[in-house]
Amino acid sequence: MALTEEDGQYLIDVAREAIELYLDNRIKIDVPFECPEHLKENLGVFVTLNKNHNLRGCIGYPEPVMPLIEATINSAISAAVSDNRFPMVSGDELEEIQIELTVLTKPELIDTPKEEYLDNIIIGEDGLIVEMGFNRGLLLPQVATENNMDKEEFISHTCLKAGLSPNSWIEDEIKLYKFQGQIFYEK
């Protein structure tokens, strides 16, 4: 489902409001009454917080397990207070943070021999999920282009994100999924 720029800006505005209310009062906002119906469709989403062009938090739902608006609210709050790679965002620093939102398509298993994995990935278009046992790692489509990764590097870094060796995609029996994302940036 393609969203409009207006949809993206609406979701970003709700994400910012959710973070502000949570940081100020430890209260989770309700889904806004005026929320467009199509933003209540179950879709995966990631909310990324950037400060001075550096990652400050990123959390989301890779699978379409709840309405997009609810997933956006939950992800925004979690990116600000629960990303264990960073200290909790403070109310004072929130004005320096830019919100980026990536709405995801449903992950699709790349069901080919591992020798053909690279043929099934488009850098800049596909995000990846690697699974092996209880290990799971995800990298959004923009990660490869922002870091000038080729396809091998992209799969290897997704394996690392899953807590596996970078060569797991060659040496082990992993499951590899791809998905696409529609990205919106805060204006």
Side-chain angles (χ1 to χ4, degrees), residues 145-162:
T145 50
E146 289 171 358
N147 294 284
N148 297 314
M149 292 179 186
D150 62 24
K151 294 176 184 184
E152 285 190 33
E153 291 172 313
F154 195 33
I155 296 177
S156 294
H157 278 83
T158 310
C159 289
L160 286 170
K161 186 86 185 276

Side-chain angles (χ1 to χ4, degrees), residues 2-183:
L3 300 177
T4 66
E5 281 299 317
E6 286 175 341
D7 292 332
Q9 194 56 52
Y10 176 82
L11 290 168
I12 284 173
D13 291 346
V14 169
R16 180 164 288 280
E17 188 180 332
I19 294 169
E20 286 172 356
L21 185 65
Y22 192 84
L23 291 179
D24 290 346
N25 303 303
R26 297 294 185 262
I27 297 171
K28 182 178 151 187
I29 65 170
D30 294 323
V31 170
F33 177 73
E34 77 284 353
C35 177
E37 204 55 38
H38 63 278
L39 299 182
K40 295 178 183 174
E41 179 183 337
N42 284 12
L43 289 169
V45 66
F46 272 75
V47 174
T48 304
L49 306 179
N50 293 301
K51 181 179 175 184
N52 302 322
H53 305 289
N54 292 310
L55 182 64
R56 184 60 180 84
C58 181
I59 290 190
Y61 293 88
E63 304 280 344
V65 295
M66 69 179 61
L68 175 58
I69 186 70
E70 287 181 43
T72 299
I73 291 167
N74 292 344
S75 298
I77 293 169
S78 293
V81 303
S82 299
D83 187 330
N84 58 20
R85 298 171 292 179
F86 304 97
M88 193 169 116
V89 169
S90 70
D92 293 341
E93 89 182 298
L94 190 56
E95 64 188 37
E96 301 173 55
I97 288 179
Q98 292 79 42
I99 298 173
E100 178 184 309
L101 192 87
T102 308
V103 180
L104 311 182
T105 61
K106 187 172 176 24
E108 165 192 340
L109 180 66
I110 299 177
D111 195 12
T112 64
K114 54 182 81 180
E115 299 78 33
E116 296 174 22
Y117 281 169
L118 300 178
D119 299 333
N120 286 279
I121 298 168
I122 301 171
I123 292 293
E125 189 174 306
D126 295 328
L128 297 178
I129 299 172
V130 167
E131 273 184 6
M132 190 172 107
F134 292 109
N135 294 57
R136 188 170 193 195
L138 177 148
L139 289 178
L140 295 171
Q142 57 268 40
V143 171
T145 50
E146 289 171 358
N147 294 284
N148 297 314
M149 292 179 186
D150 62 24
K151 294 176 184 184
E152 285 190 33
E153 291 172 313
F154 195 33
I155 296 177
S156 294
H157 278 83
T158 310
C159 289
L160 286 170
K161 186 86 185 276
L164 304 171
S165 108
N167 293 326
S168 289
W169 67 279
I170 300 166
E171 300 167 353
D172 299 315
E173 292 303 314
I174 66 159
K175 287 185 178 175
L176 182 64
Y177 298 84
K178 69 179 180 177
F179 60 89
Q180 290 74 49
Q182 192 175 358
I183 306 166

